[in-house]
Amino acid sequence: MELSMNNQRVLITAGAGGIGRVMAQTFVDAGAKVHICDVAQSALDETMKGLKVTATRCDVSDRKQVDLLFADARKHLGGLDVLVNNAGIAGPTGKVEEIAVEDWERCIGVDLNGMFYCTRLAVPMLKAAGGGSIINLSSAAGRLGFPFRTPYAAAKWGVVGFTKSLSMEVGTDNIRVNAIQPGVVEGERIDRVIDAKAKALGISFEEQKQRSLEKVSMRTMVSPQDIATMALYLASAAGRHVTGQAISVCAGVEMLG
C-alpha cells in the first residue's frame, strides 16, 4: 500500500496538540511538507522545536485570522495538496435549556464555521494543484445522538453534510472530500469531557468513564495515531478513489451518553 506523501503540501488546523500533533508527525514522517495552526502560540513554539513544520497562530472561527493563515501557508508551502480540518472544541455540557447562547455559538463557530472558512480558501489552491484531498474531523457524535452535548453533536452532524455535499461539488476537479468520525480518543481532552459529564450527572469520573466504554463494542478507546493513520490513507494514493465518506474509527461506538 502506497502511503508516501513525498513533497505533498499539507495544512493541518489545530496541529500543535492532541490528534493534530500526531497527524503532523505522521505526515512529516511520510515525506510531506506540513504547515499547522493553533490558537496557542506556546504550543506552536513547542511543536516547532521537535517537528519540521511551519506554523501560524490562528483561531479558525475568525475569518480574518484564517485569511492570514492561508497567506502564510501559501508562502511556506507554495501551494496546497491536502487540507486537514482538525480544529474543534468540545463545547458545553448540560441540558439544552441551561446552555448559554454564547457557548453554543462558540462551539458552532470553531467546529463548523471554521471548517467552512478554511475550505473556501483551500479549494482554489487544490484546483490549481490539479486536485487533492480534504479531510474533515467529525465524530461518533456526528452519527449518533449525544444527550447533554447538543452543540457538539449538531456541529459534527453538520460536518458530515458539508463533507458529502462538497465531495459531489468538487469531484470533477479531482478533489476528494472525506470525514473521519473518531470515537472515544484517549488523552486529556476526553478526560475533560468525561469529567464534565460526570459532574452533570452527579457521579464519579471513573463511573462515567466505565459507562462510556460499556457502549463501545471493543470496550476500548482509540488512539490519536489510529486517527492520523486513517487521515494519511485518505490523503495518499492508496485512497485515491475514496470520497464522500464519513468513516468511523471508533472501536465500534454503539451509543453516546
Side-chain angles (χ1 to χ4, degrees):
M1 187 181 296
E2 181 56 56
L3 295 181
S4 171
M5 294 294 293
N6 284 339
N7 299 315
Q8 293 288 289
R9 300 158 297 182
V10 180
L11 172 58
I12 303 172
T13 63
I19 294 171
R21 173 66 175 77
V22 177
M23 283 183 174
Q25 180 73 66
T26 299
F27 277 92
V28 167
D29 289 346
K33 294 173 61 179
V34 177
H35 189 83
I36 65 172
C37 76
D38 207 279
V39 292
Q41 186 62 50
S42 59
L44 290 172
D45 292 342
E46 186 63 31
T47 299
M48 292 176 71
K49 288 179 184 178
L51 190 57
K52 189 178 180 182
V53 296
T54 52
T56 303
R57 184 182 179 281
C58 178
D59 177 343
V60 298
S61 70
D62 185 321
R63 282 178 289 172
K64 291 183 179 179
Q65 291 188 40
V66 172
D67 288 345
L68 293 174
L69 165 64
F70 274 79
D72 272 0
R74 190 176 289 107
K75 178 177 68 176
H76 289 294
L77 299 177
L80 192 66
D81 300 295
V82 179
L83 170 65
V84 182
N85 279 312
N86 171 65
I89 60 173
T93 298
K95 296 178 181 178
V96 68
E97 68 269 26
E98 298 170 351
I99 292 173
V101 171
E102 295 79 8
D103 290 338
W104 169 277
E105 291 177 342
R106 177 62 179 163
C107 186
I108 299 297
V110 175
D111 292 3
L112 190 55
N113 293 348
M115 190 171 291
F116 166 69
Y117 298 153
C118 290
T119 303
R120 65 185 290 273
L121 297 179
V123 166
M125 296 175 70
L126 294 172
K127 288 180 178 179
S133 176
I134 299 173
I135 299 163
N136 299 324
L137 267 289
S138 178
S139 165
R143 65 178 178 85
L144 300 167
F146 202 173
F148 303 102
R149 296 286 304 287
T150 50
Y152 183 76
K156 294 304 185 179
W157 277 82
V159 169
V160 175
F162 181 63
T163 297
K164 289 184 175 291
S165 300
L166 184 62
S167 70
M168 299 173 190
E169 183 177 323
V170 299
T172 55
D173 297 301
N174 194 34
I175 299 173
R176 308 183 308 281
V177 190
N178 293 288
I180 300 176
Q181 296 181 308
V184 185
V185 183
E186 61 192 27
E188 292 181 3
R189 180 175 177 179
I190 194 61
D191 287 348
R192 291 194 297 269
V193 170
I194 291 171
D195 185 58
K197 186 64 179 293
K199 289 176 179 175
L201 296 176
I203 62 177
S204 71
F205 176 90
E206 288 302 324
E207 184 176 354
Q208 177 57 33
K209 182 177 180 179
Q210 182 178 354
R211 286 187 183 185
S212 298
L213 292 180
E214 284 174 354
K215 299 165 185 173
V216 178
S217 299
M218 296 180 71
R219 300 297 191 269
T220 183
M221 295 185 181
V222 298
S223 73
Q225 186 61 60
D226 294 330
I227 311 306
T229 300
M230 178 57 74
L232 180 63
Y233 166 77
L234 292 171
S236 73
R240 65 189 180 278
H241 289 139
V242 182
T243 195
Q245 304 304 305
I247 300 173
S248 292
V249 181
C250 67
V253 174
E254 301 163 6
M255 183 185 298
L256 293 169

